[in-house]
Amino acid sequence: MELIMIMGIPASGKSTFCKARLFNTHVRVSLDLLNTRNKQRQLMALCFAMQQRMVLDNTNVSAAERAAHITDAKTNGFAVKGYYFESRLADCLERNARREGKEKIDPVGVIAKHKELELPAFAEGFDELYYVTLTDNTFTINPWNNEV
């Protein structure tokens, strides 16, 4: 079984990617959908118990934030795949500005997450790690290469 962890600042393409690429294969665990960390923990615990593949679709911008999820996954015998979404601030602010309704967030939130951003590393416990770029509504996935 596997836990896919999505990482990147708001408007980097994370949820769009999940819906397009993982909707039919993984349970989507997202604070945007569940609204509380308690509900998120409960859904993840259920997925672990049922040996159900899941994708954690949150910003997951810091190593500390990712650590507990990686530990839980490993404890439950899950492989952990990380997908880091290129998080250029100007690009994400532009995408966010084009959003409508509830999906659009205050630009201050995008900037704050960018300031918190720590690039992932295999040393955190990832079994696989990828770098995802979004250009003209097309996702390109490459193996992680100690991106900077």
Side-chain angles (χ1 to χ4, degrees), residues 39-139:
K39 289 179 186 176
Q40 176 180 285
R41 279 189 296 275
Q42 289 179 29
L43 181 54
M44 291 181 76
L46 183 60
C47 288
F48 287 136
M50 295 179 65
Q51 293 291 293
Q52 173 62 49
R53 291 181 292 194
M54 69 182 113
V55 55
L56 184 57
D57 179 18
N58 295 329
T59 58
N60 300 307
V61 293
S62 72
E65 194 175 357
R66 298 186 289 260
H69 300 304
I70 292 171
T71 298
D72 288 347
K74 297 294 186 176
T75 299
N76 285 281
F78 276 56
V80 181
K81 294 181 181 178
Y83 286 77
Y84 171 81
F85 284 70
E86 181 178 61
S87 294
R88 291 189 178 134
L89 183 57
D91 294 344
C92 294
L93 286 169
E94 179 192 337
R95 277 190 216 107
N96 185 58
R98 291 193 310 253
R99 289 176 164 177
E100 294 183 16
K102 188 179 174 185
E103 288 190 5
K104 189 174 195 173
I105 67 170
D106 188 321
V108 172
V110 178
I111 294 166
K113 284 297 181 183
H114 188 265
K115 288 179 181 177
E116 295 173 25
L117 183 62
E118 297 175 61
L119 293 177
F122 279 105
E124 293 178 52
F126 291 101
D127 296 294
E128 297 177 28
L129 196 50
Y130 300 95
Y131 187 86
V132 182
T133 56
L134 174 57
T135 308
D136 299 325
N137 295 318
T138 301
F139 292 103

Side-chain angles (χ1 to χ4, degrees), residues 6 11-23 28 57 85 95 99 103 134 137 139:
I6 302 295
S12 58
K14 301 175 308 296
S15 294
T16 301
F17 178 87
C18 288
K19 292 171 191 171
R21 303 276 181 106
L22 302 168
F23 181 81
R28 182 171 169 234
D57 179 18
F85 284 70
R95 277 190 216 107
R99 289 176 164 177
E103 288 190 5
L134 174 57
N137 295 318
F139 292 103

